[in-house]
Amino acid sequence: MSTIITPFTDRRMAEIVEKVRSGERLNLEDGVYLYQTDDLLTLGQLANEANLRKNGKKVYFIENMSLYFTNVCESRCAFCNFRKDQGEEGSYTLSGPEMIEYVEQHIHPGIREFHIVGGHNNHVPFQYYVDSLKALNERFPDVTLKAYTAAEIEFFTRISGLSTKEVLEELMKAGLKSLTGGGAEILSDQYRQKMKVDKANVDQYLEVHRTAHQLGMKTHTTMLYGAIESHEDRIRHMLQIRDLQDETGGFLVFIPLSMQPKSKNAGIMRRNSAYEDLKTIAISRLMLDNIDHIKAYFINIGPQLTQVSLSFGASDVHGTILKERISHAAGALTPEGLTRKELVWLIQGAGRIPVERDTFYNEIKVYE
């Protein structure tokens, strides 16, 4: 498939099209321009072309469950509505057996991954987080543990006195196989200061993933957009991820996360537009030429826009999830999960080939 240059495509966009087609990397100025252009269709076609070269028409998903051991958190990030103080109404900290009881009530034989994140609860020791994984791994040995953000790993180093490498090694002994991508927000210390991101800084976030990759772990990474950051901030974020991927090759997927308002009753002017969401997915595909997959996260942008995004560079629609809590605590209006049949229907409706995968993008079943 080739991108159509229309009479409305300006010289600058035409230059970017030629750079992408010739395999030349886009730079900061290119990325910022792509956010500024109103030529959404050429941008989408170009991202689609880039994705088809990498993945063909295959679109990936996984049968997974989202688990949250605790919502007690020492951090008070400005955008978070999930966290609670210890003893606050609605706060909780589950033991391993309590989580196993919850999982056994909801799991079905197709589940391949537990996606585990939570609060930075400094009222429990690091061993609590190790034992939580160990309990799940012993009870469900065939389910991959994709657990904790880089920010959580940095938090664990502080409460344990261990190095990043030592923390990761202890968690790997307990069954950890991959890190989640959260905690990145926008990789700008100025942004993090303004948004009160009271957790891992930019260098710490990147160093956690670098260390995980050096230990042989493949990980995920995100970008939370739609607050106070500029378009240049977003592109600089992508470039830092691209640089680390050049160094380690350890990222499986990049996940643009559309920020949710704190109230479900917030009007459309308090949410990212569909236009901005599609642009961000397409630009991510074009800037991150060394990462195989860009994920369209239906929890934040909705199933219908997720379907459209498959023509704008996305090659992954995440998974079944089952009762997502963090984005919904922040005002997401989308379903808390989708079934396998619904994900297959969504992908096929976009003219693509659904592929059920495991955490590491090994193909389990292709739905021709």
mmCIF file of all heavy atoms in Angstrom, residues 19 28 66 85 90 101 129 245 248 269 287 343 352-353:
data_model
loop_
_atom_site.group_PDB
_atom_site.id
_atom_site.type_symbol
_atom_site.label_atom_id
_atom_site.label_comp_id
_atom_site.label_asym_id
_atom_site.label_seq_id
_atom_site.Cartn_x
_atom_site.Cartn_y
_atom_site.Cartn_z
ATOM 1 N N LYS A 19 10.795 10.825 3.496
ATOM 2 C CA LYS A 19 11.725 10.357 4.527
ATOM 3 C C LYS A 19 11.304 8.989 5.044
ATOM 4 O O LYS A 19 12.129 8.069 5.181
ATOM 5 C CB LYS A 19 11.790 11.362 5.691
ATOM 6 C CG LYS A 19 12.554 12.619 5.400
ATOM 7 C CD LYS A 19 12.612 13.541 6.616
ATOM 8 C CE LYS A 19 13.631 13.091 7.634
ATOM 9 N NZ LYS A 19 13.871 14.123 8.681
ATOM 10 N N LEU A 28 12.924 15.600 15.742
ATOM 11 C CA LEU A 28 12.040 16.368 16.612
ATOM 12 C C LEU A 28 11.159 17.323 15.819
ATOM 13 O O LEU A 28 9.939 17.386 16.036
ATOM 14 C CB LEU A 28 12.884 17.150 17.616
ATOM 15 C CG LEU A 28 12.125 18.125 18.532
ATOM 16 C CD1 LEU A 28 11.216 17.374 19.484
ATOM 17 C CD2 LEU A 28 13.113 18.984 19.318
ATOM 18 N N SER A 66 -6.577 -7.699 34.722
ATOM 19 C CA SER A 66 -5.915 -6.633 35.464
ATOM 20 C C SER A 66 -6.141 -6.859 36.958
ATOM 21 O O SER A 66 -7.271 -7.027 37.406
ATOM 22 C CB SER A 66 -6.481 -5.264 35.059
ATOM 23 O OG SER A 66 -6.047 -4.907 33.759
ATOM 24 N N ASP A 85 -5.272 7.103 50.832
ATOM 25 C CA ASP A 85 -4.413 7.066 52.008
ATOM 26 C C ASP A 85 -4.750 5.828 52.840
ATOM 27 O O ASP A 85 -5.876 5.314 52.784
ATOM 28 C CB ASP A 85 -4.621 8.324 52.865
ATOM 29 C CG ASP A 85 -4.033 9.572 52.234
ATOM 30 O OD1 ASP A 85 -2.961 9.471 51.596
ATOM 31 O OD2 ASP A 85 -4.655 10.644 52.357
ATOM 32 N N GLY A 90 -12.515 3.217 51.347
ATOM 33 C CA GLY A 90 -12.260 2.663 50.017
ATOM 34 C C GLY A 90 -10.843 2.161 49.822
ATOM 35 O O GLY A 90 -10.538 1.549 48.797
ATOM 36 N N GLU A 101 -8.272 -15.727 45.857
ATOM 37 C CA GLU A 101 -9.724 -15.928 45.955
ATOM 38 C C GLU A 101 -10.459 -15.089 44.914
ATOM 39 O O GLU A 101 -11.384 -15.567 44.251
ATOM 40 C CB GLU A 101 -10.202 -15.554 47.357
ATOM 41 C CG GLU A 101 -11.700 -15.765 47.564
ATOM 42 C CD GLU A 101 -12.158 -15.357 48.953
ATOM 43 O OE1 GLU A 101 -11.307 -14.965 49.783
ATOM 44 O OE2 GLU A 101 -13.383 -15.417 49.210
ATOM 45 N N TYR A 129 5.373 -7.352 48.319
ATOM 46 C CA TYR A 129 5.223 -7.314 46.861
ATOM 47 C C TYR A 129 5.834 -8.549 46.212
ATOM 48 O O TYR A 129 5.325 -9.047 45.206
ATOM 49 C CB TYR A 129 5.871 -6.044 46.307
ATOM 50 C CG TYR A 129 5.182 -4.779 46.776
ATOM 51 C CD1 TYR A 129 5.651 -4.086 47.894
ATOM 52 C CD2 TYR A 129 4.057 -4.285 46.124
ATOM 53 C CE1 TYR A 129 5.016 -2.933 48.336
ATOM 54 C CE2 TYR A 129 3.423 -3.134 46.561
ATOM 55 C CZ TYR A 129 3.903 -2.467 47.669
ATOM 56 O OH TYR A 129 3.270 -1.331 48.112
ATOM 57 N N GLN A 245 15.517 2.121 23.129
ATOM 58 C CA GLN A 245 15.277 0.930 22.321
ATOM 59 C C GLN A 245 16.455 0.656 21.390
ATOM 60 O O GLN A 245 16.819 -0.510 21.171
ATOM 61 C CB GLN A 245 13.979 1.096 21.504
ATOM 62 C CG GLN A 245 13.597 -0.106 20.649
ATOM 63 C CD GLN A 245 13.075 -1.288 21.455
ATOM 64 O OE1 GLN A 245 13.257 -1.369 22.671
ATOM 65 N NE2 GLN A 245 12.426 -2.212 20.778
ATOM 66 N N THR A 248 18.968 -1.096 23.785
ATOM 67 C CA THR A 248 18.684 -2.398 24.403
ATOM 68 C C THR A 248 17.801 -3.329 23.578
ATOM 69 O O THR A 248 17.883 -4.547 23.728
ATOM 70 C CB THR A 248 17.985 -2.203 25.760
ATOM 71 O OG1 THR A 248 16.675 -1.637 25.540
ATOM 72 C CG2 THR A 248 18.786 -1.282 26.674
ATOM 73 N N MET A 269 -15.025 18.907 26.327
ATOM 74 C CA MET A 269 -13.924 19.855 26.286
ATOM 75 C C MET A 269 -12.846 19.527 27.321
ATOM 76 O O MET A 269 -11.747 20.069 27.265
ATOM 77 C CB MET A 269 -14.440 21.280 26.485
ATOM 78 C CG MET A 269 -15.282 21.782 25.324
ATOM 79 S SD MET A 269 -15.985 23.419 25.612
ATOM 80 C CE MET A 269 -14.494 24.416 25.713
ATOM 81 N N MET A 287 7.343 7.861 14.567
ATOM 82 C CA MET A 287 8.547 8.239 15.318
ATOM 83 C C MET A 287 9.283 7.016 15.861
ATOM 84 O O MET A 287 10.511 6.977 15.877
ATOM 85 C CB MET A 287 8.180 9.165 16.480
ATOM 86 C CG MET A 287 7.590 10.501 16.075
ATOM 87 S SD MET A 287 8.647 11.521 15.005
ATOM 88 C CE MET A 287 10.093 11.746 16.040
ATOM 89 N N LEU A 343 -13.311 -8.664 20.781
ATOM 90 C CA LEU A 343 -12.055 -8.179 20.226
ATOM 91 C C LEU A 343 -11.851 -8.698 18.803
ATOM 92 O O LEU A 343 -11.404 -7.960 17.917
ATOM 93 C CB LEU A 343 -10.890 -8.596 21.120
ATOM 94 C CG LEU A 343 -10.788 -7.855 22.455
ATOM 95 C CD1 LEU A 343 -9.765 -8.523 23.361
ATOM 96 C CD2 LEU A 343 -10.428 -6.389 22.251
ATOM 97 N N ARG A 352 -8.926 -6.304 9.289
ATOM 98 C CA ARG A 352 -7.636 -6.832 9.721
ATOM 99 C C ARG A 352 -7.768 -8.273 10.208
ATOM 100 O O ARG A 352 -8.872 -8.791 10.368
ATOM 101 C CB ARG A 352 -7.046 -5.950 10.824
ATOM 102 C CG ARG A 352 -6.853 -4.496 10.408
ATOM 103 C CD ARG A 352 -5.852 -4.360 9.266
ATOM 104 N NE ARG A 352 -5.933 -3.092 8.582
ATOM 105 C CZ ARG A 352 -4.961 -2.195 8.544
ATOM 106 N NH1 ARG A 352 -3.845 -2.414 9.193
ATOM 107 N NH2 ARG A 352 -5.105 -1.082 7.852
ATOM 108 N N ILE A 353 -6.642 -8.896 10.469
ATOM 109 C CA ILE A 353 -6.593 -10.297 10.886
ATOM 110 C C ILE A 353 -6.324 -10.360 12.388
ATOM 111 O O ILE A 353 -5.238 -9.984 12.838
ATOM 112 C CB ILE A 353 -5.495 -11.059 10.132
ATOM 113 C CG1 ILE A 353 -5.739 -11.002 8.623
ATOM 114 C CG2 ILE A 353 -5.425 -12.504 10.609
ATOM 115 C CD1 ILE A 353 -4.573 -11.496 7.797
#
